[in-house]
Amino acid sequence: MKPMLAALRWVPPFAQGYAHDHRVRWALEEAGIAYEVALVDRGGMDAEAYRAWQPFGQIPAYRDREVEIFESGAIVLHIAKSSAALAPVDVGGYARVASWIFAALNTLEPAVRAYAQLDTFYAGQAWVEGYRPIAEDQLKRRLADLQRWLTHREYLEGRFTAGDIVMSTVLRDLDDAAILSKFPTLASYRARCEARPAFARAIDAQLKDYRENMPAQLEV
C-alpha cells in the first residue's frame, strides 16, 4: 500500500504551487517514497467520509500503513520519522526538527499571514493602513530572529531537514511582499531550499493535477 495524500482537484491560479499538500509531496520526494493522490473538490471536503479523515474539511490529509492523520506539519513530521533524509535518527536530532516545524507554523506563519494577507484579502478596507505598521513590525521581528539564527548556516540544523521544508514554504507566502528583500540571508536560504530537485518535482506533480482538472469553462 502506497501512502495516500488528499489534495484539491483544482485551485485558482494565484494559489497554484502554494496549497499545503505541496509540503507533503516535497517531503515524500525527499524521502524517495512513492505515493498516490486522492483528489477532492470543495463539495467533497464536506462529505462525511472525508470529514472522518480530515475533521475540518481541509487539505492535506494523509494515510499509510501505520497512520491516518491531517495537518501538513504533522504529516511532514511523520514522514521524517521514517527517513534519515529528513531528520536525524537520534531522539535529540528528531526533536530539534520537530521544534523547527512547530516554530515555522506557530511562531513565523501567523506573522507572515497577518502581513501578507493585508493586500491579498483585505485590500481597500479602511482598517488596513492603520494595522499595516503593527503587522510589519511583528513580522520584521520574527524575520530578524530567524535571520540571526541562519547567519553562517545553510539550513536550520546545518543540514537539510523536514524543518526546512516547512520553514521555507512559510517564507514563500511573502512572494508578493518586498519585505523579504530586506533580509538577504533569508532570501538566500529560501532560494537554496527551492533549488532542491525534490522541491521542483513536488511542484510539478501538484501543477499537473491542476492542469488535468481545470474547469471546462477556463480551458482555452
PDB file of all heavy atoms in Angstrom, residues 5-8 19-33 35-39 60 75-76 79 165 198-199 201-210:
ATOM      1  N   LEU A   5      -2.311  10.640  -0.236  1.00  0.00           N
ATOM      2  CA  LEU A   5      -2.352  12.057   0.103  1.00  0.00           C
ATOM      3  C   LEU A   5      -3.615  12.676  -0.483  1.00  0.00           C
ATOM      4  O   LEU A   5      -3.888  12.515  -1.676  1.00  0.00           O
ATOM      5  CB  LEU A   5      -1.112  12.762  -0.453  1.00  0.00           C
ATOM      6  CG  LEU A   5      -1.094  14.287  -0.436  1.00  0.00           C
ATOM      7  CD1 LEU A   5      -1.064  14.803   1.006  1.00  0.00           C
ATOM      8  CD2 LEU A   5       0.103  14.805  -1.221  1.00  0.00           C
ATOM      9  N   ALA A   6      -4.390  13.365   0.318  1.00  0.00           N
ATOM     10  CA  ALA A   6      -5.564  14.091  -0.173  1.00  0.00           C
ATOM     11  C   ALA A   6      -5.157  15.505  -0.550  1.00  0.00           C
ATOM     12  O   ALA A   6      -4.492  16.203   0.223  1.00  0.00           O
ATOM     13  CB  ALA A   6      -6.655  14.123   0.884  1.00  0.00           C
ATOM     14  N   ALA A   7      -5.548  15.921  -1.757  1.00  0.00           N
ATOM     15  CA  ALA A   7      -5.212  17.247  -2.259  1.00  0.00           C
ATOM     16  C   ALA A   7      -6.389  17.783  -3.062  1.00  0.00           C
ATOM     17  O   ALA A   7      -7.243  17.019  -3.518  1.00  0.00           O
ATOM     18  CB  ALA A   7      -3.956  17.195  -3.128  1.00  0.00           C
ATOM     19  N   LEU A   8      -6.431  19.075  -3.241  1.00  0.00           N
ATOM     20  CA  LEU A   8      -7.507  19.678  -4.014  1.00  0.00           C
ATOM     21  C   LEU A   8      -7.365  19.349  -5.493  1.00  0.00           C
ATOM     22  O   LEU A   8      -6.259  19.350  -6.048  1.00  0.00           O
ATOM     23  CB  LEU A   8      -7.515  21.196  -3.820  1.00  0.00           C
ATOM     24  CG  LEU A   8      -8.174  21.687  -2.529  1.00  0.00           C
ATOM     25  CD1 LEU A   8      -7.831  23.150  -2.278  1.00  0.00           C
ATOM     26  CD2 LEU A   8      -9.685  21.492  -2.595  1.00  0.00           C
ATOM     27  N   ALA A  19      -0.727  25.549  -2.324  1.00  0.00           N
ATOM     28  CA  ALA A  19      -1.580  24.713  -1.476  1.00  0.00           C
ATOM     29  C   ALA A  19      -0.692  23.772  -0.656  1.00  0.00           C
ATOM     30  O   ALA A  19       0.318  23.250  -1.145  1.00  0.00           O
ATOM     31  CB  ALA A  19      -2.564  23.924  -2.333  1.00  0.00           C
ATOM     32  N   HIS A  20      -1.074  23.535   0.577  1.00  0.00           N
ATOM     33  CA  HIS A  20      -0.161  22.905   1.523  1.00  0.00           C
ATOM     34  C   HIS A  20       0.095  21.425   1.298  1.00  0.00           C
ATOM     35  O   HIS A  20       0.963  20.843   1.960  1.00  0.00           O
ATOM     36  CB  HIS A  20      -0.647  23.154   2.944  1.00  0.00           C
ATOM     37  CG  HIS A  20      -0.432  24.563   3.395  1.00  0.00           C
ATOM     38  ND1 HIS A  20      -0.960  25.072   4.559  1.00  0.00           N
ATOM     39  CD2 HIS A  20       0.256  25.590   2.825  1.00  0.00           C
ATOM     40  CE1 HIS A  20      -0.605  26.331   4.686  1.00  0.00           C
ATOM     41  NE2 HIS A  20       0.132  26.678   3.658  1.00  0.00           N
ATOM     42  N   ASP A  21      -0.625  20.795   0.378  1.00  0.00           N
ATOM     43  CA  ASP A  21      -0.222  19.433   0.034  1.00  0.00           C
ATOM     44  C   ASP A  21       1.165  19.419  -0.588  1.00  0.00           C
ATOM     45  O   ASP A  21       1.849  18.388  -0.585  1.00  0.00           O
ATOM     46  CB  ASP A  21      -1.236  18.781  -0.907  1.00  0.00           C
ATOM     47  CG  ASP A  21      -1.368  19.508  -2.225  1.00  0.00           C
ATOM     48  OD1 ASP A  21      -2.011  20.568  -2.265  1.00  0.00           O
ATOM     49  OD2 ASP A  21      -0.811  19.026  -3.222  1.00  0.00           O
ATOM     50  N   HIS A  22       1.609  20.583  -1.104  1.00  0.00           N
ATOM     51  CA  HIS A  22       2.957  20.647  -1.670  1.00  0.00           C
ATOM     52  C   HIS A  22       4.015  20.299  -0.631  1.00  0.00           C
ATOM     53  O   HIS A  22       5.015  19.634  -0.935  1.00  0.00           O
ATOM     54  CB  HIS A  22       3.246  22.029  -2.258  1.00  0.00           C
ATOM     55  CG  HIS A  22       4.681  22.207  -2.640  1.00  0.00           C
ATOM     56  ND1 HIS A  22       5.572  22.917  -1.868  1.00  0.00           N
ATOM     57  CD2 HIS A  22       5.391  21.718  -3.678  1.00  0.00           C
ATOM     58  CE1 HIS A  22       6.775  22.871  -2.438  1.00  0.00           C
ATOM     59  NE2 HIS A  22       6.690  22.154  -3.532  1.00  0.00           N
ATOM     60  N   ARG A  23       3.819  20.737   0.613  1.00  0.00           N
ATOM     61  CA  ARG A  23       4.789  20.415   1.658  1.00  0.00           C
ATOM     62  C   ARG A  23       4.938  18.907   1.815  1.00  0.00           C
ATOM     63  O   ARG A  23       6.044  18.387   1.981  1.00  0.00           O
ATOM     64  CB  ARG A  23       4.338  21.002   2.997  1.00  0.00           C
ATOM     65  CG  ARG A  23       4.394  22.502   3.098  1.00  0.00           C
ATOM     66  CD  ARG A  23       3.764  22.977   4.387  1.00  0.00           C
ATOM     67  NE  ARG A  23       3.877  24.426   4.520  1.00  0.00           N
ATOM     68  CZ  ARG A  23       3.160  25.152   5.351  1.00  0.00           C
ATOM     69  NH1 ARG A  23       2.270  24.568   6.137  1.00  0.00           N
ATOM     70  NH2 ARG A  23       3.322  26.467   5.403  1.00  0.00           N
ATOM     71  N   VAL A  24       3.806  18.225   1.784  1.00  0.00           N
ATOM     72  CA  VAL A  24       3.830  16.770   1.966  1.00  0.00           C
ATOM     73  C   VAL A  24       4.450  16.098   0.747  1.00  0.00           C
ATOM     74  O   VAL A  24       5.268  15.175   0.880  1.00  0.00           O
ATOM     75  CB  VAL A  24       2.412  16.244   2.222  1.00  0.00           C
ATOM     76  CG1 VAL A  24       2.430  14.730   2.411  1.00  0.00           C
ATOM     77  CG2 VAL A  24       1.795  16.937   3.438  1.00  0.00           C
ATOM     78  N   ARG A  25       4.079  16.544  -0.440  1.00  0.00           N
ATOM     79  CA  ARG A  25       4.685  15.994  -1.662  1.00  0.00           C
ATOM     80  C   ARG A  25       6.204  16.166  -1.618  1.00  0.00           C
ATOM     81  O   ARG A  25       6.959  15.253  -1.984  1.00  0.00           O
ATOM     82  CB  ARG A  25       4.111  16.697  -2.890  1.00  0.00           C
ATOM     83  CG  ARG A  25       2.636  16.439  -3.166  1.00  0.00           C
ATOM     84  CD  ARG A  25       2.188  17.295  -4.342  1.00  0.00           C
ATOM     85  NE  ARG A  25       0.770  17.335  -4.585  1.00  0.00           N
ATOM     86  CZ  ARG A  25       0.120  16.621  -5.511  1.00  0.00           C
ATOM     87  NH1 ARG A  25       0.791  15.779  -6.277  1.00  0.00           N
ATOM     88  NH2 ARG A  25      -1.180  16.755  -5.670  1.00  0.00           N
ATOM     89  N   TRP A  26       6.649  17.330  -1.199  1.00  0.00           N
ATOM     90  CA  TRP A  26       8.083  17.610  -1.131  1.00  0.00           C
ATOM     91  C   TRP A  26       8.767  16.647  -0.165  1.00  0.00           C
ATOM     92  O   TRP A  26       9.817  16.062  -0.475  1.00  0.00           O
ATOM     93  CB  TRP A  26       8.295  19.065  -0.709  1.00  0.00           C
ATOM     94  CG  TRP A  26       9.711  19.554  -0.734  1.00  0.00           C
ATOM     95  CD1 TRP A  26      10.831  18.859  -1.115  1.00  0.00           C
ATOM     96  CD2 TRP A  26      10.160  20.864  -0.373  1.00  0.00           C
ATOM     97  NE1 TRP A  26      11.954  19.650  -1.011  1.00  0.00           N
ATOM     98  CE2 TRP A  26      11.570  20.885  -0.556  1.00  0.00           C
ATOM     99  CE3 TRP A  26       9.526  22.007   0.092  1.00  0.00           C
ATOM    100  CZ2 TRP A  26      12.330  22.010  -0.275  1.00  0.00           C
ATOM    101  CZ3 TRP A  26      10.279  23.133   0.368  1.00  0.00           C
ATOM    102  CH2 TRP A  26      11.667  23.135   0.183  1.00  0.00           C
ATOM    103  N   ALA A  27       8.178  16.458   1.008  1.00  0.00           N
ATOM    104  CA  ALA A  27       8.770  15.533   1.974  1.00  0.00           C
ATOM    105  C   ALA A  27       8.845  14.116   1.413  1.00  0.00           C
ATOM    106  O   ALA A  27       9.865  13.420   1.564  1.00  0.00           O
ATOM    107  CB  ALA A  27       7.957  15.538   3.275  1.00  0.00           C
ATOM    108  N   LEU A  28       7.791  13.676   0.760  1.00  0.00           N
ATOM    109  CA  LEU A  28       7.788  12.339   0.171  1.00  0.00           C
ATOM    110  C   LEU A  28       8.842  12.222  -0.926  1.00  0.00           C
ATOM    111  O   LEU A  28       9.517  11.191  -1.051  1.00  0.00           O
ATOM    112  CB  LEU A  28       6.395  12.025  -0.384  1.00  0.00           C
ATOM    113  CG  LEU A  28       5.306  11.808   0.676  1.00  0.00           C
ATOM    114  CD1 LEU A  28       3.918  11.895   0.041  1.00  0.00           C
ATOM    115  CD2 LEU A  28       5.494  10.478   1.391  1.00  0.00           C
ATOM    116  N   GLU A  29       9.003  13.268  -1.719  1.00  0.00           N
ATOM    117  CA  GLU A  29      10.026  13.256  -2.776  1.00  0.00           C
ATOM    118  C   GLU A  29      11.426  13.197  -2.174  1.00  0.00           C
ATOM    119  O   GLU A  29      12.285  12.451  -2.653  1.00  0.00           O
ATOM    120  CB  GLU A  29       9.870  14.490  -3.662  1.00  0.00           C
ATOM    121  CG  GLU A  29       8.621  14.518  -4.529  1.00  0.00           C
ATOM    122  CD  GLU A  29       8.684  13.546  -5.699  1.00  0.00           C
ATOM    123  OE1 GLU A  29       9.768  12.958  -5.940  1.00  0.00           O
ATOM    124  OE2 GLU A  29       7.655  13.377  -6.381  1.00  0.00           O
ATOM    125  N   GLU A  30      11.669  13.970  -1.134  1.00  0.00           N
ATOM    126  CA  GLU A  30      12.987  13.954  -0.485  1.00  0.00           C
ATOM    127  C   GLU A  30      13.280  12.577   0.105  1.00  0.00           C
ATOM    128  O   GLU A  30      14.413  12.100   0.082  1.00  0.00           O
ATOM    129  CB  GLU A  30      13.057  15.014   0.616  1.00  0.00           C
ATOM    130  CG  GLU A  30      13.037  16.454   0.139  1.00  0.00           C
ATOM    131  CD  GLU A  30      14.376  16.947  -0.398  1.00  0.00           C
ATOM    132  OE1 GLU A  30      15.360  16.171  -0.376  1.00  0.00           O
ATOM    133  OE2 GLU A  30      14.429  18.121  -0.843  1.00  0.00           O
ATOM    134  N   ALA A  31      12.238  11.942   0.633  1.00  0.00           N
ATOM    135  CA  ALA A  31      12.411  10.630   1.260  1.00  0.00           C
ATOM    136  C   ALA A  31      12.426   9.495   0.248  1.00  0.00           C
ATOM    137  O   ALA A  31      12.715   8.342   0.614  1.00  0.00           O
ATOM    138  CB  ALA A  31      11.285  10.401   2.273  1.00  0.00           C
ATOM    139  N   GLY A  32      12.113   9.793  -1.011  1.00  0.00           N
ATOM    140  CA  GLY A  32      12.080   8.751  -2.037  1.00  0.00           C
ATOM    141  C   GLY A  32      10.922   7.789  -1.868  1.00  0.00           C
ATOM    142  O   GLY A  32      11.048   6.602  -2.198  1.00  0.00           O
ATOM    143  N   ILE A  33       9.803   8.285  -1.371  1.00  0.00           N
ATOM    144  CA  ILE A  33       8.627   7.447  -1.119  1.00  0.00           C
ATOM    145  C   ILE A  33       7.579   7.688  -2.204  1.00  0.00           C
ATOM    146  O   ILE A  33       7.108   8.820  -2.382  1.00  0.00           O
ATOM    147  CB  ILE A  33       8.022   7.751   0.265  1.00  0.00           C
ATOM    148  CG1 ILE A  33       9.038   7.446   1.368  1.00  0.00           C
ATOM    149  CG2 ILE A  33       6.736   6.962   0.477  1.00  0.00           C
ATOM    150  CD1 ILE A  33       8.584   7.879   2.755  1.00  0.00           C
ATOM    151  N   TYR A  35       3.910   7.670  -3.799  1.00  0.00           N
ATOM    152  CA  TYR A  35       2.632   7.915  -3.145  1.00  0.00           C
ATOM    153  C   TYR A  35       1.520   8.056  -4.169  1.00  0.00           C
ATOM    154  O   TYR A  35       1.775   8.241  -5.362  1.00  0.00           O
ATOM    155  CB  TYR A  35       2.710   9.169  -2.276  1.00  0.00           C
ATOM    156  CG  TYR A  35       2.975  10.447  -3.052  1.00  0.00           C
ATOM    157  CD1 TYR A  35       1.930  11.297  -3.432  1.00  0.00           C
ATOM    158  CD2 TYR A  35       4.270  10.819  -3.421  1.00  0.00           C
ATOM    159  CE1 TYR A  35       2.171  12.465  -4.137  1.00  0.00           C
ATOM    160  CE2 TYR A  35       4.522  11.977  -4.124  1.00  0.00           C
ATOM    161  CZ  TYR A  35       3.471  12.806  -4.484  1.00  0.00           C
ATOM    162  OH  TYR A  35       3.725  13.964  -5.189  1.00  0.00           O
ATOM    163  N   GLU A  36       0.299   7.965  -3.686  1.00  0.00           N
ATOM    164  CA  GLU A  36      -0.872   8.190  -4.519  1.00  0.00           C
ATOM    165  C   GLU A  36      -1.614   9.413  -4.010  1.00  0.00           C
ATOM    166  O   GLU A  36      -1.451   9.807  -2.845  1.00  0.00           O
ATOM    167  CB  GLU A  36      -1.787   6.963  -4.503  1.00  0.00           C
ATOM    168  CG  GLU A  36      -1.127   5.717  -5.093  1.00  0.00           C
ATOM    169  CD  GLU A  36      -2.030   4.496  -5.022  1.00  0.00           C
ATOM    170  OE1 GLU A  36      -3.074   4.572  -4.338  1.00  0.00           O
ATOM    171  OE2 GLU A  36      -1.681   3.478  -5.638  1.00  0.00           O
ATOM    172  N   VAL A  37      -2.419  10.000  -4.877  1.00  0.00           N
ATOM    173  CA  VAL A  37      -3.149  11.209  -4.507  1.00  0.00           C
ATOM    174  C   VAL A  37      -4.643  10.981  -4.661  1.00  0.00           C
ATOM    175  O   VAL A  37      -5.098  10.471  -5.694  1.00  0.00           O
ATOM    176  CB  VAL A  37      -2.716  12.410  -5.379  1.00  0.00           C
ATOM    177  CG1 VAL A  37      -3.483  13.669  -4.968  1.00  0.00           C
ATOM    178  CG2 VAL A  37      -1.216  12.649  -5.259  1.00  0.00           C
ATOM    179  N   ALA A  38      -5.395  11.342  -3.633  1.00  0.00           N
ATOM    180  CA  ALA A  38      -6.854  11.349  -3.705  1.00  0.00           C
ATOM    181  C   ALA A  38      -7.290  12.795  -3.893  1.00  0.00           C
ATOM    182  O   ALA A  38      -7.142  13.617  -2.982  1.00  0.00           O
ATOM    183  CB  ALA A  38      -7.449  10.775  -2.417  1.00  0.00           C
ATOM    184  N   LEU A  39      -7.769  13.116  -5.077  1.00  0.00           N
ATOM    185  CA  LEU A  39      -8.153  14.492  -5.385  1.00  0.00           C
ATOM    186  C   LEU A  39      -9.585  14.751  -4.929  1.00  0.00           C
ATOM    187  O   LEU A  39     -10.485  13.958  -5.192  1.00  0.00           O
ATOM    188  CB  LEU A  39      -8.019  14.764  -6.877  1.00  0.00           C
ATOM    189  CG  LEU A  39      -6.590  14.666  -7.434  1.00  0.00           C
ATOM    190  CD1 LEU A  39      -6.598  14.841  -8.943  1.00  0.00           C
ATOM    191  CD2 LEU A  39      -5.686  15.720  -6.783  1.00  0.00           C
ATOM    192  N   PRO A  60      -3.958  19.274   3.488  1.00  0.00           N
ATOM    193  CA  PRO A  60      -3.935  17.877   3.084  1.00  0.00           C
ATOM    194  C   PRO A  60      -4.413  16.953   4.191  1.00  0.00           C
ATOM    195  O   PRO A  60      -4.514  17.349   5.362  1.00  0.00           O
ATOM    196  CB  PRO A  60      -2.458  17.648   2.795  1.00  0.00           C
ATOM    197  CG  PRO A  60      -1.760  18.537   3.792  1.00  0.00           C
ATOM    198  CD  PRO A  60      -2.622  19.763   3.910  1.00  0.00           C
ATOM    199  N   ILE A  75       1.977  15.780   9.174  1.00  0.00           N
ATOM    200  CA  ILE A  75       2.270  14.772   8.154  1.00  0.00           C
ATOM    201  C   ILE A  75       3.754  14.771   7.806  1.00  0.00           C
ATOM    202  O   ILE A  75       4.396  13.709   7.734  1.00  0.00           O
ATOM    203  CB  ILE A  75       1.419  15.013   6.896  1.00  0.00           C
ATOM    204  CG1 ILE A  75      -0.077  14.944   7.232  1.00  0.00           C
ATOM    205  CG2 ILE A  75       1.770  14.006   5.809  1.00  0.00           C
ATOM    206  CD1 ILE A  75      -0.987  15.468   6.129  1.00  0.00           C
ATOM    207  N   VAL A  76       4.315  15.963   7.592  1.00  0.00           N
ATOM    208  CA  VAL A  76       5.743  16.054   7.271  1.00  0.00           C
ATOM    209  C   VAL A  76       6.578  15.477   8.408  1.00  0.00           C
ATOM    210  O   VAL A  76       7.560  14.759   8.182  1.00  0.00           O
ATOM    211  CB  VAL A  76       6.137  17.515   6.967  1.00  0.00           C
ATOM    212  CG1 VAL A  76       7.658  17.659   6.881  1.00  0.00           C
ATOM    213  CG2 VAL A  76       5.491  17.991   5.669  1.00  0.00           C
ATOM    214  N   ILE A  79       6.462  11.677   8.246  1.00  0.00           N
ATOM    215  CA  ILE A  79       7.309  11.156   7.172  1.00  0.00           C
ATOM    216  C   ILE A  79       8.780  11.225   7.579  1.00  0.00           C
ATOM    217  O   ILE A  79       9.567  10.309   7.314  1.00  0.00           O
ATOM    218  CB  ILE A  79       7.054  11.922   5.869  1.00  0.00           C
ATOM    219  CG1 ILE A  79       5.608  11.701   5.400  1.00  0.00           C
ATOM    220  CG2 ILE A  79       8.036  11.514   4.773  1.00  0.00           C
ATOM    221  CD1 ILE A  79       5.162  12.652   4.308  1.00  0.00           C
ATOM    222  N   ILE A 165      11.736  22.257   5.022  1.00  0.00           N
ATOM    223  CA  ILE A 165      10.589  22.185   4.114  1.00  0.00           C
ATOM    224  C   ILE A 165       9.484  23.109   4.602  1.00  0.00           C
ATOM    225  O   ILE A 165       8.967  23.950   3.857  1.00  0.00           O
ATOM    226  CB  ILE A 165      10.060  20.739   4.008  1.00  0.00           C
ATOM    227  CG1 ILE A 165      11.045  19.871   3.237  1.00  0.00           C
ATOM    228  CG2 ILE A 165       8.681  20.714   3.341  1.00  0.00           C
ATOM    229  CD1 ILE A 165      10.629  18.411   3.129  1.00  0.00           C
ATOM    230  N   ALA A 198      13.855  17.861  -5.410  1.00  0.00           N
ATOM    231  CA  ALA A 198      12.608  17.333  -4.862  1.00  0.00           C
ATOM    232  C   ALA A 198      11.545  18.416  -4.759  1.00  0.00           C
ATOM    233  O   ALA A 198      10.347  18.137  -4.887  1.00  0.00           O
ATOM    234  CB  ALA A 198      12.851  16.701  -3.492  1.00  0.00           C
ATOM    235  N   PHE A 199      11.949  19.651  -4.509  1.00  0.00           N
ATOM    236  CA  PHE A 199      11.002  20.769  -4.477  1.00  0.00           C
ATOM    237  C   PHE A 199      10.325  20.908  -5.835  1.00  0.00           C
ATOM    238  O   PHE A 199       9.101  21.029  -5.933  1.00  0.00           O
ATOM    239  CB  PHE A 199      11.726  22.067  -4.106  1.00  0.00           C
ATOM    240  CG  PHE A 199      10.876  23.309  -4.246  1.00  0.00           C
ATOM    241  CD1 PHE A 199      10.118  23.754  -3.171  1.00  0.00           C
ATOM    242  CD2 PHE A 199      10.851  24.027  -5.438  1.00  0.00           C
ATOM    243  CE1 PHE A 199       9.333  24.895  -3.297  1.00  0.00           C
ATOM    244  CE2 PHE A 199      10.068  25.164  -5.568  1.00  0.00           C
ATOM    245  CZ  PHE A 199       9.311  25.600  -4.488  1.00  0.00           C
ATOM    246  N   ARG A 201      10.053  18.673  -8.232  1.00  0.00           N
ATOM    247  CA  ARG A 201       9.215  17.519  -8.545  1.00  0.00           C
ATOM    248  C   ARG A 201       7.858  17.624  -7.849  1.00  0.00           C
ATOM    249  O   ARG A 201       6.820  17.268  -8.423  1.00  0.00           O
ATOM    250  CB  ARG A 201       9.918  16.217  -8.134  1.00  0.00           C
ATOM    251  CG  ARG A 201      11.144  15.883  -8.982  1.00  0.00           C
ATOM    252  CD  ARG A 201      11.569  14.429  -8.812  1.00  0.00           C
ATOM    253  NE  ARG A 201      11.917  14.090  -7.443  1.00  0.00           N
ATOM    254  CZ  ARG A 201      13.152  14.212  -6.935  1.00  0.00           C
ATOM    255  NH1 ARG A 201      14.148  14.680  -7.692  1.00  0.00           N
ATOM    256  NH2 ARG A 201      13.392  13.847  -5.683  1.00  0.00           N
ATOM    257  N   ALA A 202       7.873  18.108  -6.616  1.00  0.00           N
ATOM    258  CA  ALA A 202       6.613  18.257  -5.880  1.00  0.00           C
ATOM    259  C   ALA A 202       5.722  19.318  -6.514  1.00  0.00           C
ATOM    260  O   ALA A 202       4.507  19.128  -6.654  1.00  0.00           O
ATOM    261  CB  ALA A 202       6.908  18.604  -4.424  1.00  0.00           C
ATOM    262  N   ILE A 203       6.305  20.433  -6.910  1.00  0.00           N
ATOM    263  CA  ILE A 203       5.532  21.484  -7.584  1.00  0.00           C
ATOM    264  C   ILE A 203       4.969  20.960  -8.891  1.00  0.00           C
ATOM    265  O   ILE A 203       3.782  21.155  -9.216  1.00  0.00           O
ATOM    266  CB  ILE A 203       6.413  22.720  -7.853  1.00  0.00           C
ATOM    267  CG1 ILE A 203       6.690  23.483  -6.554  1.00  0.00           C
ATOM    268  CG2 ILE A 203       5.745  23.647  -8.871  1.00  0.00           C
ATOM    269  CD1 ILE A 203       5.535  24.278  -6.014  1.00  0.00           C
ATOM    270  N   ASP A 204       5.802  20.287  -9.667  1.00  0.00           N
ATOM    271  CA  ASP A 204       5.353  19.762 -10.965  1.00  0.00           C
ATOM    272  C   ASP A 204       4.192  18.785 -10.789  1.00  0.00           C
ATOM    273  O   ASP A 204       3.235  18.802 -11.582  1.00  0.00           O
ATOM    274  CB  ASP A 204       6.514  19.074 -11.684  1.00  0.00           C
ATOM    275  CG  ASP A 204       7.566  20.052 -12.181  1.00  0.00           C
ATOM    276  OD1 ASP A 204       7.275  21.263 -12.215  1.00  0.00           O
ATOM    277  OD2 ASP A 204       8.674  19.603 -12.519  1.00  0.00           O
ATOM    278  N   ALA A 205       4.262  17.938  -9.776  1.00  0.00           N
ATOM    279  CA  ALA A 205       3.193  16.966  -9.546  1.00  0.00           C
ATOM    280  C   ALA A 205       1.892  17.669  -9.182  1.00  0.00           C
ATOM    281  O   ALA A 205       0.807  17.288  -9.659  1.00  0.00           O
ATOM    282  CB  ALA A 205       3.602  15.996  -8.443  1.00  0.00           C
ATOM    283  N   GLN A 206       1.985  18.676  -8.339  1.00  0.00           N
ATOM    284  CA  GLN A 206       0.778  19.419  -7.951  1.00  0.00           C
ATOM    285  C   GLN A 206       0.177  20.144  -9.151  1.00  0.00           C
ATOM    286  O   GLN A 206      -1.033  20.076  -9.397  1.00  0.00           O
ATOM    287  CB  GLN A 206       1.111  20.424  -6.842  1.00  0.00           C
ATOM    288  CG  GLN A 206      -0.131  21.102  -6.267  1.00  0.00           C
ATOM    289  CD  GLN A 206       0.223  22.204  -5.288  1.00  0.00           C
ATOM    290  OE1 GLN A 206       0.740  23.242  -5.683  1.00  0.00           O
ATOM    291  NE2 GLN A 206      -0.055  21.969  -4.006  1.00  0.00           N
ATOM    292  N   LEU A 207       1.004  20.830  -9.924  1.00  0.00           N
ATOM    293  CA  LEU A 207       0.506  21.582 -11.070  1.00  0.00           C
ATOM    294  C   LEU A 207      -0.059  20.663 -12.152  1.00  0.00           C
ATOM    295  O   LEU A 207      -1.006  21.036 -12.859  1.00  0.00           O
ATOM    296  CB  LEU A 207       1.616  22.467 -11.643  1.00  0.00           C
ATOM    297  CG  LEU A 207       2.143  23.563 -10.700  1.00  0.00           C
ATOM    298  CD1 LEU A 207       3.199  24.400 -11.425  1.00  0.00           C
ATOM    299  CD2 LEU A 207       1.025  24.443 -10.200  1.00  0.00           C
ATOM    300  N   LYS A 208       0.510  19.471 -12.282  1.00  0.00           N
ATOM    301  CA  LYS A 208      -0.021  18.502 -13.248  1.00  0.00           C
ATOM    302  C   LYS A 208      -1.463  18.146 -12.900  1.00  0.00           C
ATOM    303  O   LYS A 208      -2.329  18.069 -13.780  1.00  0.00           O
ATOM    304  CB  LYS A 208       0.858  17.255 -13.278  1.00  0.00           C
ATOM    305  CG  LYS A 208       0.395  16.164 -14.244  1.00  0.00           C
ATOM    306  CD  LYS A 208       1.407  15.020 -14.258  1.00  0.00           C
ATOM    307  CE  LYS A 208       0.981  13.914 -15.226  1.00  0.00           C
ATOM    308  NZ  LYS A 208      -0.220  13.194 -14.752  1.00  0.00           N
ATOM    309  N   ASP A 209      -1.732  17.925 -11.624  1.00  0.00           N
ATOM    310  CA  ASP A 209      -3.101  17.626 -11.211  1.00  0.00           C
ATOM    311  C   ASP A 209      -4.035  18.785 -11.544  1.00  0.00           C
ATOM    312  O   ASP A 209      -5.169  18.575 -11.997  1.00  0.00           O
ATOM    313  CB  ASP A 209      -3.149  17.332  -9.712  1.00  0.00           C
ATOM    314  CG  ASP A 209      -2.571  15.969  -9.357  1.00  0.00           C
ATOM    315  OD1 ASP A 209      -2.525  15.099 -10.248  1.00  0.00           O
ATOM    316  OD2 ASP A 209      -2.172  15.776  -8.199  1.00  0.00           O
ATOM    317  N   TYR A 210      -3.586  20.001 -11.326  1.00  0.00           N
ATOM    318  CA  TYR A 210      -4.427  21.159 -11.619  1.00  0.00           C
ATOM    319  C   TYR A 210      -4.695  21.287 -13.116  1.00  0.00           C
ATOM    320  O   TYR A 210      -5.817  21.591 -13.538  1.00  0.00           O
ATOM    321  CB  TYR A 210      -3.777  22.443 -11.103  1.00  0.00           C
ATOM    322  CG  TYR A 210      -3.628  22.519  -9.602  1.00  0.00           C
ATOM    323  CD1 TYR A 210      -2.625  23.276  -9.023  1.00  0.00           C
ATOM    324  CD2 TYR A 210      -4.496  21.823  -8.755  1.00  0.00           C
ATOM    325  CE1 TYR A 210      -2.479  23.361  -7.645  1.00  0.00           C
ATOM    326  CE2 TYR A 210      -4.360  21.892  -7.382  1.00  0.00           C
ATOM    327  CZ  TYR A 210      -3.347  22.669  -6.827  1.00  0.00           C
ATOM    328  OH  TYR A 210      -3.213  22.746  -5.466  1.00  0.00           O
TER     329      TYR A 210
END
